[in-house]
Amino acid sequence: HFTDRCVVVNAENGEGTQLAILGNQIISNLTENTLVYQGKKYTEGDYIRVGGGYVDDSATFKKKHNLSECDGLEVFIPN
């Protein structure tokens, strides 16, 4: 879902994770609550499967890349 300049995905276990929007691989339009990933458009509530991994230190990563805090959620970077 989209909230406060954040794209939050819920893992299969139900825990929320901040999806890092880096580079040009992902395009998001938070005003329209849409996300384009690998050419497919997703909106609020859609299911998405992405590979990637979590960063070791989310707080430092967010500061370095000027990402919103997103309620202190861990950061996931898709590959």
Side-chain angles (χ1 to χ4, degrees):
H1 66 274
F2 303 86
T3 179
D4 191 31
R5 294 183 44 219
C6 300
V7 177
V8 178
V9 294
N10 290 321
E12 290 177 343
N13 66 6
E15 292 187 27
T17 298
Q18 181 179 356
L19 187 64
I21 308 298
L22 301 175
N24 60 5
Q25 64 182 343
I26 297 175
I27 303 167
S28 66
N29 185 338
L30 298 180
T31 59
E32 294 181 14
N33 290 343
T34 61
L35 168 76
V36 177
Y37 179 70
Q38 295 184 340
K40 184 174 179 187
K41 184 176 182 178
Y42 298 89
T43 58
E44 185 82 28
D46 287 346
Y47 289 92
I48 184 172
R49 182 173 292 243
V50 295
Y54 291 94
V55 300
D56 291 329
D57 183 349
S58 291
T60 300
F61 183 86
K62 289 176 187 183
K63 287 178 184 174
K64 180 179 177 183
H65 295 282
N66 197 28
L67 295 175
S68 295
E69 279 301 313
C70 297
D71 297 325
L73 293 174
E74 287 187 83
V75 175
F76 184 87
I77 301 174
N79 57 6

